[in-house]
Amino acid sequence: MRLIKATVIIVFLMSISACTATTRGDILTSSQSPNIPSNNEVKVSKNAAKETEKKASWLLNGQEGVEDRVQFLTNLDDPTGEANIRIDDLIDTMETKEERIKYRGSQVYVGKITSDGSRMAIIRDVYGEQPEELLIIEVYDLDAGEKEREFKLPPTAQYPVISSDLSKYLYVMDGRLYLYDAISKRTTELKTNKGKADVSNIAQGVFSPDNTKLCFVDDQTGIVMLDLSGDSGTELLLAGTDVSSIMQWDQGNRLIYTTYKKDNTFINDIYSLDIYTGKVQFITKNEGEFILSPDQKN
């Protein structure tokens, strides 16, 4: 598709509140009203429900290279690995009948899910791959099970990237970078030091925790850091380093990235970069494709 250049789908971890089944314990009843629970009973029941509620870990993943790309959430707490929710089915439950008819045949995929799993932004490609087609952004409140907002990007917009709070939408149009703020509903063109960065690679970019910067891997060596204020342009980090991907930008302003190997193996070297000090620290090695947990321990 025109929106993602890489062949491997973006994956990340999140947590979603999930209610679990509880065993029925002894129930105290009033002798005067045997069929109506007392106030104490209601409080006990509510407290018991809260105690049994837990955070479930989910992985967003999917399959590329097929005619109809599939994305789904996998419950990592299920040892069988078979507890999956198709994104299309999840969205279908939150759409109205009219919306399901209106967008029949369109393709959707997840642009971003907030770290607490409460909200999700999807990108809907309405008709296919022609320049005049629409890209629609839909934001869903997963706790409430309903759509929060919907808006359209320009017909020629490409490679949209969404901030962690789902408020900012960065995209390329006619070789230039634009930032749309969904809160203020304003669009700003960003300066990029023209000729020094291939902006078509922003699709695999990572927003800073405060959503004021974006880092992505360019065709050149190193990491390109883009100032989203529109004033400072781009800055090159780790110049001369063969960076293959950026995995995370954590709260300590450290970038977690991998490097290319030149020994014909599939072993990845994972490092962290302190953006303020420039200190590089080796984390671990891993063979083949992998996903790093947010705490970088698994």
Side-chain angles (χ1 to χ4, degrees), residues 1 21 28 59 65 80 82 163 178 186 193 195 236 257 280 283 288 294:
M1 293 180 63
L28 301 176
L59 175 71
T80 68
E82 297 178 354
S163 64
Y178 295 88
R186 294 181 56 187
N193 300 339
L236 185 63
Y257 67 93
V280 173
I283 297 178

Side-chain angles (χ1 to χ4, degrees), residues 191-253:
K191 297 178 182 179
T192 58
N193 300 339
K194 190 173 181 181
K196 294 186 178 181
D198 183 358
V199 294
S200 66
N201 288 325
I202 67 166
Q204 305 302 322
V206 178
F207 273 88
S208 62
D210 62 3
N211 299 309
T212 61
K213 294 179 175 61
L214 180 98
C215 277
F216 62 96
V217 178
D218 201 333
D219 290 337
Q220 59 185 319
T221 58
I223 294 174
V224 178
M225 184 166 68
L226 174 67
D227 187 344
L228 300 181
S229 68
D231 297 326
S232 301
T234 59
E235 179 182 351
L236 185 63
L237 308 176
L238 296 177
T241 304
D242 288 327
V243 178
S244 57
S245 67
I246 304 173
M247 306 188 69
Q248 299 171 20
W249 191 331
D250 65 23
Q251 292 295 329
N253 271 306

Side-chain angles (χ1 to χ4, degrees), residues 60-178:
L60 174 67
N61 57 103
Q63 182 180 3
E64 291 277 6
V66 294
E67 183 176 352
D68 295 319
R69 189 179 67 191
V70 178
Q71 275 188 305
F72 48 90
L73 296 170
T74 299
N75 189 338
L76 299 183
D77 296 325
D78 178 8
T80 68
E82 297 178 354
N84 300 308
I85 302 174
R86 282 173 52 96
I87 292 299
D88 297 73
D89 294 336
L90 179 61
I91 295 171
D92 187 67
T93 64
M94 295 183 285
E95 289 181 320
T96 64
K97 180 180 179 180
E98 291 73 20
E99 287 173 331
R100 287 193 289 271
I101 295 174
K102 178 181 179 182
Y103 294 133
R104 182 176 297 164
S106 63
Q107 291 184 314
V108 301
Y109 61 91
V110 176
K112 181 71 69 175
I113 301 179
T114 55
S115 60
D116 63 359
S118 65
R119 298 165 66 234
M120 173 178 71
I122 67 164
I123 302 172
R124 186 185 295 276
D125 199 341
V126 179
Y127 296 118
E129 299 184 5
Q130 298 302 319
E132 66 273 11
E133 293 156 3
L134 297 176
L135 285 181
I136 297 176
I137 304 294
E138 300 173 26
V139 178
Y140 288 89
D141 184 328
L142 299 180
D143 288 338
E146 60 186 19
K147 184 183 294 185
E148 186 178 294
R149 67 166 64 97
E150 175 182 315
F151 57 90
K152 299 175 182 177
L153 294 180
T156 56
Q158 294 179 300
Y159 319 118
V161 190
I162 304 173
S163 64
S164 58
D165 62 357
L166 313 186
S167 68
K168 296 179 180 180
Y169 298 79
L170 185 67
Y171 60 91
V172 178
M173 187 169 63
D174 300 326
R176 298 180 179 179
L177 269 180
Y178 295 88

